[in-house]
Amino acid sequence: MYHTSSPLSGSFCPAEAHSGPKAMQRPSLSPRHVYTQPSGKPQDSNWDPQKVKDARGKLPEAFRAPWSELAMRRTCTCIYHFLVWSWYIFLNYYISQQGGDHRKSKIFLNGGQWKYLTFLNLLLQAIFYGVACMEDVLKRIKGERDIKFMSAFRDLLFTTLAFPISTFVFLSFWTLFLYDRELVYPKALDGIFPEWMNHAMHTTILPFSLVEVVLRPHCYPLRKKGLTLLAVASLAYISRVLWIYSETGTWVYPVFARLSPVGLTAFFSLSYIFSASIYILGEKLNHWKWGDIMQPRKKRK
């Protein structure tokens, strides 16, 4: 027996509907638009596009937009992913070259640059946009609507890590910075990293993630699975922070030095709760933008 699970309480996977040259035009509809079944085959008399309306009563975009417009949008998406991927590659390369500077090399002592969540996030974003760009290119080369493995990996990477972590870095950094910048980004760093670099690391990451949310739908895993993966990533980073402190006696961020063991426990716990809230926010934004069309069915246990 099957049932359709709610996107806000479980799995949510709005599919990118297919439209192609073989689509047949319905005489009763606008001649600008073409319609196909989700399989890509011309519709027959037993198929009704009204049945695939989303929760807001709208047809999927691919059922409403002409083929040429869809092709143009996919091309623009590919170009966008390539440009953002190139930007993150540049940032990672720029940071990797700072080890030769005596002043900057001190920042990377006791754990290197990868002890900072900011730099880990930049690497994560570069990986995600690289995967997204590669998928766009392969889909155009093979002429396929979807490449199952890469699409699944892309969505899992974005929904469970790329979006929650980039949003967390943006919100947590600027909250602490505005409260007391010495807790997270001491003023002495202004003479080491230029202002544009600070915004590249901590500001532009959120707009890029939000654009990705509205650019195309992403299949969310079951909420339990998604939050578990996010928890594993959080525990891995917290473990590294604690290990660095146990080995060197210094904290990655100055704010940790001002907290008691109980305060640290509360801080890390609240940080995960905050990250989980961001994950759920991303899930709801995805549903708000794309609805719950073609939602996968799950077996009832």
Side-chain angles (χ1 to χ4, degrees):
M1 184 174 181
Y2 293 86
H3 77 285
T4 302
S5 58
S6 169
L8 300 184
S9 61
S11 176
F12 172 43
C13 179
E16 297 180 67
H18 179 69
S19 178
K22 296 182 179 180
M24 296 180 63
Q25 183 175 314
R26 292 178 64 90
S28 60
L29 298 173
S30 169
R32 291 182 61 253
H33 299 86
V34 292
Y35 294 80
T36 62
Q37 298 184 47
S39 62
K41 298 178 181 179
Q43 56 184 326
D44 54 36
S45 58
N46 296 323
W47 185 77
D48 183 5
Q50 302 300 319
K51 294 180 180 179
V52 296
K53 285 184 177 181
D54 62 17
R56 295 168 294 177
K58 295 182 179 180
L59 286 170
E61 180 182 27
F63 287 96
R64 294 181 279 112
W67 172 251
S68 59
E69 183 178 338
L70 288 175
M72 178 61 69
R73 289 183 182 180
R74 289 172 181 172
T75 300
C76 292
T77 297
C78 182
I79 294 174
Y80 169 77
H81 283 150
F82 175 76
L83 292 176
V84 178
W85 175 59
S86 300
W87 170 247
Y88 279 119
I89 289 293
F90 164 73
L91 291 180
N92 281 279
Y93 175 77
Y94 178 88
I95 294 170
S96 68
Q97 300 303 305
Q98 305 310 307
D101 188 316
H102 178 67
R103 295 180 306 163
K104 296 178 181 179
S105 62
K106 291 182 178 180
I107 302 174
F108 300 145
L109 291 176
N110 303 323
Q113 70 185 72
W114 306 119
K115 65 182 178 180
Y116 296 109
L117 184 60
T118 294
F119 296 146
L120 289 172
N121 176 61
L122 293 179
L123 178 62
L124 172 64
Q125 300 302 319
I127 293 173
F128 166 71
Y129 283 101
V131 171
C133 184
M134 183 181 298
E135 186 208 19
D136 292 336
V137 172
L138 290 178
K139 284 196 297 186
R140 293 188 65 83
I141 292 176
K142 295 185 176 182
E144 297 181 4
R145 177 178 65 88
D146 211 7
I147 300 178
K148 187 174 181 180
F149 171 77
M150 291 201 67
S151 296
F153 179 64
R154 175 206 69 191
D155 287 341
L156 188 66
L157 192 61
F158 179 76
T159 58
T160 61
L161 294 177
F163 178 79
I165 292 178
S166 63
T167 307
F168 176 84
V169 169
F170 173 89
L171 294 176
S172 60
F173 174 83
W174 287 112
T175 298
L176 291 173
F177 185 92
L178 294 175
Y179 174 73
D180 182 0
R181 65 172 300 174
E182 297 299 320
L183 295 176
V184 64
Y185 195 83
K187 193 172 181 60
L189 293 179
D190 289 344
I192 299 177
F193 289 108
E195 185 176 355
W196 70 265
M197 188 62 186
N198 182 24
H199 286 291
M201 295 186 296
H202 301 114
T203 304
T204 60
I205 54 176
L206 180 61
F208 285 145
S209 291
L210 292 177
V211 169
E212 181 64 24
V213 169
V214 301
L215 195 61
R216 63 181 176 187
H218 293 277
C219 296
Y220 268 76
L222 291 173
R223 183 174 292 178
K224 181 178 180 181
K225 177 182 178 181
L227 293 178
T228 298
L229 291 174
L230 181 60
V232 170
S234 300
L235 286 174
Y237 180 70
I238 292 172
S239 298
R240 177 164 173 76
V241 169
L242 295 176
W243 180 82
I244 291 175
Y245 176 74
S246 67
E247 292 292 318
T248 66
T250 59
W251 288 106
V252 173
Y253 294 103
V255 63
F256 296 154
R258 302 191 183 185
L259 299 175
S260 65
V262 175
L264 278 173
T265 302
F267 182 89
F268 290 141
S269 299
L270 290 175
S271 294
Y272 173 71
I273 294 174
F274 186 37
S275 300
S277 300
I278 294 173
Y279 172 89
I280 296 173
L281 173 63
E283 187 181 66
K284 292 187 176 183
L285 286 175
N286 194 61
H287 176 249
W288 166 78
K289 171 61 180 176
W290 300 104
D292 55 0
I293 55 174
M294 298 181 188
Q295 187 177 324
R297 294 177 177 178
K298 300 292 179 182
K299 288 186 178 181
R300 189 189 300 273
K301 295 183 179 180

